[in-house]
Amino acid sequence: MKKGKMYLSSIKYRYFMLLACIAILVSAPSCSSDDFENNLPEESEQLSKAELIEQALSQMPQTRAADLFPVMMVTTQKTVSIICYANESVIIHWNSIDETLVEREDGNEKIFTYSDDEPVHGIWLEASADAIMSLDVYSDGLIFLDVVNNINLTNLSCGYNSLDTLNLDGCYSLRELYANFNPLSSLDLTHLSELRTLAVLATQLTDIDVSNNPNLEELLVGYNQITDLDLTNNTALKHIGIEVLPLRTINNIPINVKSFAAFPKLEIINMYNTSFLDSLDLLDNPLVRYIDISWSTITQMNISNLQIDYLNAKFSQLIDLKYTLGNLKPDCYYINIIGTPFEKNRTNVYFLASSVPDRTKPNRFGSIQRGQLYTTSSDINVFLTPLTDKNWVVYSE
């Protein structure tokens, strides 16, 4: 009983501290996010974001379990959906009256539509602090999300909302975080030693500290203003997404042709629309199978020791691609060289077309997948029949 009372007290303290902090914020400028402002009814525009959050949270439902709300959120949408996977039953309180029971280990989507005209609504998940294991609140119009001290939360998907802060304190088990397309300007990950996947594309981050996340395997930070990435302690990375980044350094060294040699387990690299490199050497990354350098300034790339599944160089500056016949066998299924200087060379097109593998045979996963070759070169025409025989389709879009 002592432990339960202490927990109830801590939850109640946390809630009132939240309201106190929000009250302090009332005098501060409201959120500058255009998306947030455009989604609100006219009658609520005079209220700041902090005031709207306080207004919604003040409607906390009175339940038998008094204050047992490990997750609290505020939405500006009329219809919201939640997927909550937990090791016990969870009650979703959509407001002070309506609720939905989520049975233990029920991973089905729960949808609710508000019938009133209130600009914001508070949502509370009633359970114990160790109950919730996975939470998906993707594209729910959230302007506030509190998941602090959900000690068994391993997966959080909260992308496409209007969250400018995200406090993950106490979420020590978190392994996957998807927070893309939120106006986040900072994110503290220092205590998340179990983190494997971090997806924060298109936020407002200018830097990210992953030095305490040695188990990180996926780092997706594209479409931000990050100029320096220190990944010294992240040698386990398998997937790096740095598209549309103005990168200057990796591991405190000016970015160069060998910058990715520090990641021997790398399998996927996405450098779409980047201008920080003109040459890419992946000889020290033998496991890479997926490469996207489309719209980039890359002119030379060496993949001669790889076995590629997917290569997208569309509208890049690619001139020279070093590869061998073995690079494209047996599982290569996608090649795009549209708009590159590379495809203007007839020899390049001939050799590439004759090098693609036979897609009539099962790949390493046991399935047959049609190959896709994208080029605007008319030189490909002499290979159309043999390519069709090998289950390849040529596109010139």
Side-chain angles (χ1 to χ4, degrees):
M1 289 297 293
K2 182 177 180 180
K3 182 177 180 181
K5 288 181 179 179
M6 289 178 62
Y7 175 71
L8 288 174
S9 297
S10 68
I11 292 292
K12 187 175 295 185
Y13 175 78
R14 184 179 114 202
Y15 173 67
F16 285 114
M17 285 301 294
L18 277 170
L19 288 183
C21 291
I22 291 169
I24 293 174
L25 289 172
V26 167
S27 59
S30 60
C31 177
S32 61
S33 169
D34 292 337
D35 290 338
F36 165 67
E37 292 176 354
N38 291 337
N39 286 336
L40 291 178
E42 291 184 6
E43 61 269 20
S44 66
E45 289 181 357
Q46 68 273 21
L47 297 178
S48 71
K49 188 174 185 178
E51 289 173 316
L52 288 169
I53 293 172
E54 181 179 15
Q55 174 182 303
L57 293 182
S58 67
Q59 303 300 315
M60 176 182 284
Q62 301 300 312
T63 71
R64 295 188 304 274
D67 297 341
L68 278 180
F69 301 119
V71 175
M72 296 184 286
M73 61 192 89
V74 176
T75 179
T76 61
Q77 288 185 182
K78 295 286 289 184
T79 299
V80 291
S81 66
I82 294 175
I83 300 176
C84 175
Y85 186 87
N87 57 28
E88 66 179 52
S89 295
V90 175
I91 299 176
I92 302 176
H93 296 269
W94 305 105
N95 47 41
S96 60
I97 301 174
D98 298 289
E99 61 185 48
T100 298
L101 176 66
V102 181
E103 298 288 354
R104 178 177 179 268
E105 298 182 354
D106 177 3
N108 294 316
E109 182 180 30
K110 309 301 180 185
I111 302 175
F112 184 81
T113 299
Y114 293 96
S115 57
D116 59 42
D117 293 323
E118 293 296 323
V120 292
H121 294 90
I123 303 173
W124 297 264
L125 271 59
E126 179 183 347
S128 57
D130 59 355
I132 298 175
M133 304 170 69
S134 178
L135 181 65
D136 186 341
V137 288
Y138 171 90
S139 192
D140 270 339
L142 300 184
I143 59 173
F144 174 80
L145 175 64
D146 178 16
V147 292
V148 170
N149 292 327
N150 280 266
I151 58 176
N152 283 333
L153 183 65
T154 60
N155 182 300
L156 175 61
S157 177
C158 58
Y160 286 83
N161 285 294
S162 296
L163 301 172
D164 49 20
T165 61
L166 183 60
N167 188 346
L168 300 170
D169 287 352
C171 300
Y172 303 110
S173 300
L174 196 64
R175 294 170 63 95
E176 299 180 357
L177 173 61
Y178 302 92
N180 304 321
F181 291 90
N182 278 291
L184 296 169
S185 58
S186 63
L187 188 61
D188 184 4
L189 307 168
T190 55
H191 57 294
L192 304 179
S193 60
E194 297 298 316
L195 196 64
R196 300 295 196 276
T197 296
L198 174 62
V200 285
L201 287 82
T203 62
Q204 294 180 8
L205 293 173
T206 57
D207 61 78
I208 189 81
D209 182 0
V210 290
S211 58
N212 290 342
N213 312 113
N215 295 311
L216 198 63
E217 296 180 350
E218 286 188 279
L219 178 65
L220 311 180
V221 293
Y223 298 88
N224 286 298
Q225 292 301 310
I226 297 172
T227 57
D228 306 284
L229 276 177
D230 186 354
L231 307 177
T232 307
N233 298 331
N234 309 110
T235 56
L237 279 171
K238 296 181 179 180
H239 183 179
I240 294 178
I242 49 177
E243 55 269 44
V244 201
L245 279 192
L247 270 184
R248 294 195 302 252
T249 70
I250 290 183
N251 295 349
N252 303 309
I253 299 173
I255 194 165
N256 61 79
V257 67
K258 285 287 191 178
S259 288
F260 300 100
F263 315 108
K265 297 182 179 180
L266 193 62
E267 298 176 6
I268 302 173
I269 181 168
N270 189 339
M271 295 173 57
Y272 162 77
N273 199 11
T274 55
S275 58
F276 47 72
L277 276 181
D278 59 10
S279 184
L280 182 62
D281 189 333
L282 297 173
L283 290 178
D284 295 312
N285 307 94
L287 302 181
V288 169
R289 287 184 173 271
Y290 180 110
I291 302 173
D292 190 337
I293 60 167
S294 59
W295 299 89
S296 76
T297 54
I298 301 269
T299 61
Q300 297 179 321
M301 185 163 63
N302 191 342
I303 60 169
S304 57
N305 68 327
L306 308 180
Q307 287 196 343
I308 296 296
D309 290 352
Y310 181 104
L311 174 59
N312 187 0
K314 180 178 181 179
F315 290 112
S316 71
Q317 299 302 310
L318 186 65
I319 298 172
D320 182 21
L321 178 64
K322 289 183 171 64
Y323 69 102
T324 64
L325 186 63
N327 290 139
L328 307 180
K329 295 183 181 296
D331 295 326
C332 183
Y333 68 91
Y334 183 98
I335 300 173
N336 194 329
I337 55 172
I338 285 179
T340 63
F342 179 86
E343 75 167 346
K344 294 179 180 179
N345 184 308
R346 177 177 295 179
T347 302
N348 289 339
V349 175
Y350 280 7
F351 188 68
L352 186 64
S354 61
S355 300
V356 298
D358 186 350
R359 300 297 327 134
T360 65
K361 299 178 181 179
N363 59 21
R364 68 183 183 278
F365 303 113
S367 61
I368 294 177
Q369 185 173 10
R370 174 175 288 178
Q372 304 172 51
L373 176 58
Y374 291 78
T375 179
T376 56
S377 172
S378 59
D379 294 318
I380 198 69
N381 293 335
V382 298
F383 288 92
L384 292 181
T385 298
L387 284 170
T388 299
D389 291 341
K390 289 197 289 187
N391 198 22
W392 279 79
V393 177
V394 176
Y395 299 96
S396 58
E397 61 180 12

